[in-house]
Amino acid sequence: MSMDKKYTIKYGAVQVFYWAAFCSLLGFVAVFLLDKGYTNSEIGIIIALSNVLAVFLQPLIASLADKYENVTIKTIIWIWTAVIFITALGLTLLKEASFLVSTCITLAIVGVMVLQPFINTISVQLEERGIFVNFGVCRACGSFSYAVISTVIGVLLRYYTVSLIPFSTVILAVGIFGSVSILLRQKKDLKEGEQWEKKGHDSVDKKRKEETKEAQDLVTFLRLHMKFFIFLVGVTFIFYYHVLSCNYLFQIIESVGGDSASMGVASAISAVVELPAMILFIKIVQKVGCRKLLRISGFFFVVKSILFFMATSVEMIYVAQLFQSGGYALFIPASVYYVGKLLNRADMVKGQSLVTTAITLGGVFASVVGGRMLDNYGASTTLLVGAIVAVIGVISMSLSVEEV
């Protein structure tokens, strides 16, 4: 397998457009919906519903791709990008809170979230084809684009209406469509690509059948891996805080005197500081070890949660965002690595999906409970509860994580 810079650049472009679209929609969803007249509680319900729908749809769509040869990764991305394009376009025309606005924003968010694993799967399929792309660098390009878009939209919202948010999503959806088309549909590679996609599905199906012959059912698996179950509980608690601080960043910024531009800068800081950990993770984990890295990430989560609660100015929020560098940025690759080393091949897919489920569950609780708390008790109390939950989660994770 050889490194192909041409494909790395093109796959990097896919990540750039995807994470830019993710930022323009999910990063500013609270700003958009508040302007339309929604309460924090209603915003939380919409985000939570979107999370739940995405969790159910991802494995369903993946199974269709495995079962039917004509359902390729490229086709899936095209369809869901079209959903994002159409719903975001609709949002640019709708003026105030309504069932139609709620439906469009929910479908747009679901589309962005459903796309993520399939955007990442492209790199795996390229490797099966014998083409190696530097995923860490490509993903880092995505984080950089998130930072740029966050800053730009945050500043522009001072001068334009919130319709800028779905409008930018429409433009970036076109970018996703175009970059994926260029990556997977070069004329000279078209025939080879079709054979590769079919071969990829066949090999994955065969491998999956071989590896899951002795896989344990979920109840048995959790009973035999009690420490892993406690680890999952810790992850759920940690991501309650993390999603709370992301989804309601605008409200948190407003509570200390900031505006949409301040929120854009805060989001940009968190995205930029993720880059070193993502690019250098393999080298870091080889020197430090996965167990210690997960505990370090927990420490960063706790410090950030405490700083958020104590913040009395926008500048203190900016300082708190710097701790994303060792929190989320380390946890995501470390958790994938940890599950891969901890569990046998028969249960690895189950283990990875359970971590994703735990993260999503934390996000659902944060969206619903956090929104209601913001409406009833304000930002300070909401952040205090978030910090307490984060501490409990980190203690749970740190005590249960095993040496791998």
Side-chain angles (χ1 to χ4, degrees):
M1 189 180 343
S2 61
M3 178 76 165
D4 195 315
K5 291 183 180 179
K6 177 181 69 175
Y7 277 93
T8 295
I9 292 170
K10 289 175 180 177
Y11 181 56
V14 174
Q15 290 281 353
V16 162
F17 282 111
Y18 171 73
W19 284 105
F22 188 102
C23 174
S24 69
L25 187 64
L26 271 153
F28 290 88
V29 64
V31 179
F32 179 79
L33 292 177
L34 284 171
D35 185 80
K36 296 296 181 185
Y38 286 83
T39 66
N40 290 311
S41 298
E42 290 167 341
I43 293 170
I45 291 170
I46 288 172
I47 296 174
L49 178 61
S50 303
N51 273 272
V52 171
L53 287 173
V55 166
F56 279 108
L57 282 171
Q58 283 171 354
L60 176 63
I61 296 166
S63 65
L64 289 175
D66 288 335
K67 187 174 182 180
Y68 300 104
E69 293 179 4
N70 292 332
V71 183
T72 63
I73 296 296
K74 179 174 64 181
T75 304
I76 291 167
I77 293 173
W78 277 359
I79 290 171
W80 282 101
T81 301
V83 170
I84 296 167
F85 179 91
I86 293 168
T87 52
L89 188 62
L91 289 170
T92 63
L93 306 173
L94 299 169
K95 300 300 180 185
E96 55 187 31
S98 66
F99 176 76
L100 197 54
V101 169
S102 300
T103 302
C104 284
I105 196 72
T106 299
L107 286 174
I109 293 172
V110 168
V112 170
M113 296 182 73
V114 165
L115 275 184
Q116 188 171 335
F118 298 104
I119 293 291
N120 292 340
T121 298
I122 291 175
S123 66
V124 178
Q125 289 199 339
L126 286 171
E127 287 188 19
E128 288 176 352
R129 190 178 178 182
I131 299 167
F132 175 71
V133 294
N134 191 324
F135 180 83
V137 169
C138 292
R139 179 60 182 81
C141 289
S143 287
F144 182 75
S145 71
Y146 189 107
V148 172
I149 291 296
S150 178
T151 304
V152 170
I153 293 179
V155 171
L156 289 179
L157 283 173
R158 284 179 170 175
Y159 309 101
Y160 298 96
T161 68
V162 293
S163 293
L164 172 70
I165 295 167
F167 179 75
S168 63
T169 305
V170 168
I171 301 300
L172 292 165
V174 174
I176 296 173
F177 187 91
S179 59
V180 169
S181 299
I182 291 170
L183 177 64
L184 299 181
R185 200 178 62 176
Q186 293 181 354
K187 288 183 179 179
K188 66 177 183 179
D189 294 333
L190 182 58
K191 186 174 180 181
E192 180 186 356
E194 290 171 349
Q195 294 172 345
W196 154 61
E197 287 189 353
K198 181 179 183 301
K199 182 180 177 182
H201 286 312
D202 292 344
S203 63
V204 169
D205 283 342
K206 183 178 178 182
K207 186 177 181 182
R208 188 172 294 153
K209 287 176 182 177
E210 290 174 353
E211 293 180 357
T212 56
K213 283 181 181 177
E214 298 186 16
Q216 300 158 337
D217 65 83
L218 183 59
V219 175
T220 303
F221 171 81
L222 291 175
R223 182 170 53 83
L224 295 176
H225 297 83
M226 188 54 65
K227 280 193 172 183
F228 185 65
F229 174 72
I230 297 171
F231 172 82
L232 293 173
V233 172
V235 171
T236 301
F237 276 58
I238 290 169
F239 274 82
Y240 171 90
Y241 154 72
H242 177 73
V243 173
L244 180 77
S245 66
C246 292
N247 287 353
Y248 298 110
L249 181 59
F250 179 66
Q251 292 90 327
I252 294 167
I253 288 281
E254 271 196 326
S255 72
V256 294
D259 57 13
S260 62
S262 307
M263 192 204 82
V265 172
S267 294
I269 290 170
S270 66
V272 168
V273 298
E274 290 177 0
L275 301 181
M278 289 183 176
I279 295 172
L280 302 172
F281 175 75
I282 295 300
K283 292 182 179 179
I284 295 171
V285 75
Q286 288 172 347
K287 291 185 177 180
V288 179
C290 192
R291 185 185 193 184
K292 190 176 290 185
L293 275 185
L294 284 169
R295 288 175 170 172
I296 290 171
S297 75
F299 171 77
F300 275 76
F301 272 118
V302 167
V303 173
K304 182 181 173 183
S305 70
I306 293 171
L307 288 176
F308 257 72
F309 168 65
M310 295 176 61
T312 55
S313 66
V314 172
E315 289 72 24
M316 288 183 71
I317 296 291
Y318 291 164
V319 172
Q321 289 290 74
L322 295 173
F323 286 83
Q324 185 94 340
S325 61
Y328 179 83
L330 274 182
F331 176 85
I332 293 300
S335 63
V336 173
Y337 185 92
Y338 176 67
V339 173
K341 293 291 185 180
L342 178 71
L343 303 176
N344 59 47
R345 297 192 69 84
D347 291 311
M348 196 184 302
V349 174
K350 187 191 288 97
Q352 297 287 6
S353 66
L354 284 171
V355 172
T356 301
T357 301
I359 291 172
T360 303
L361 194 60
V364 169
F365 284 131
S367 298
V368 177
V369 178
R372 187 167 290 276
M373 287 194 70
L374 275 170
D375 281 335
N376 295 332
Y377 304 106
S380 181
T381 301
T382 303
L383 290 173
L384 174 61
V385 172
I388 293 170
V389 171
V391 170
I392 295 171
V394 169
I395 291 172
S396 176
M397 181 185 74
S398 297
L399 292 177
S400 59
V401 68
E402 302 176 58
E403 195 68 63
V404 292

